[in-house]
Amino acid sequence: MVEKIGRLSPEATKAVQQQEIDEVFLTALDISHPEMSETLHVINNTEDLERLGKTYVALPFDLNLPDETADEMPRIDLAMSNFPDDNGQTPIADAIETMSVSPLFSLSVFSAARPNVTEYGPITLELEQASYDQGEIKGTLVMDPHMTREPHPKDSWDASIAPNIFTRKI
């Protein structure tokens, strides 16, 4: 649930405030798209994991937060393995190549000790651009890129279209 973004459980808060911890935090990605028959669940881990009733497939990936600029939405650089499956296919890269619109990535962070407790997220991000080769897929994820093209605030008011708001009656 989006309301939980930024609020850590007491256990996670204690863990992140310590200099050395035994706790391992993992990142899960749920990759969805209208043209995909089912959501792809991957986890940055060395082995598959059951979480919230779903099997998350182990897939190494890195997330990097590049420097933010005032005129851009927050971005995350993603690099993930493009390992072939048992049939020699690269399903993620193949899917990205054929999609007519960008897939959505829902990112969540949780403790390996408590896989069903989301510590941060989920945050929904859109794939803005991607490139790949035999070994790796690289892309940039953005938070609601359409927001930058929308006027803000949504409704603009000035005296020419709403004179009563700006006219002071005495």
Side-chain angles (χ1 to χ4, degrees):
M1 53 178 61
V2 173
E3 301 85 42
K4 284 197 63 163
I5 291 178
R7 292 188 209 140
L8 299 176
S9 70
E11 296 89 349
T13 301
K14 183 179 175 183
V16 299
Q17 291 174 342
Q18 296 175 3
Q19 282 189 322
E20 295 193 21
I21 61 172
D22 294 328
E23 190 131 21
V24 175
F25 289 93
L26 300 172
T27 304
L29 289 175
D30 297 310
I31 306 169
S32 61
H33 189 275
E35 296 171 16
M36 291 171 52
S37 60
E38 58 187 52
T39 299
L40 185 63
H41 308 286
V42 297
I43 186 165
N44 191 9
N45 199 19
T46 57
E47 55 190 46
D48 295 354
L49 184 112
E50 290 294 319
R51 172 175 153 73
L52 302 172
K54 302 170 190 141
T55 300
Y56 281 77
V57 177
L59 181 70
F61 61 84
D62 289 320
L63 298 171
N64 294 306
L65 300 169
D67 294 335
E68 290 186 33
T69 60
D71 60 339
E72 290 185 352
M73 294 300 293
R75 299 177 171 323
I76 297 176
D77 290 332
L78 168 70
M80 76 173 26
S81 296
N82 189 25
F83 293 130
D85 61 17
D86 295 338
N87 300 322
Q89 303 297 312
T90 52
I92 297 174
D94 295 345
I96 290 171
E97 184 177 285
T98 61
M99 292 177 179
S100 58
V101 295
S102 297
L104 297 178
F105 289 68
S106 180
L107 180 146
S108 299
V109 177
F110 61 95
S111 166
R114 296 177 305 283
N116 291 322
V117 176
T118 301
E119 296 294 351
Y120 187 79
I123 302 169
T124 302
L125 304 155
E126 185 174 319
L127 182 66
E128 184 179 62
Q129 62 84 23
S131 63
Y132 60 92
D133 60 27
Q134 275 305 106
E136 187 175 55
I137 300 169
K138 291 182 179 181
T140 301
L141 305 175
V142 294
M143 294 180 74
D144 194 0
H146 305 291
M147 187 179 217
T148 59
R149 294 190 287 272
E150 296 294 326
H152 184 77
K154 180 183 175 201
D155 297 316
S156 296
W157 301 96
D158 64 30
S160 68
I161 59 171
N164 289 329
I165 293 176
F166 297 94
T167 304
R168 188 171 171 180
K169 296 182 182 177
I170 302 177

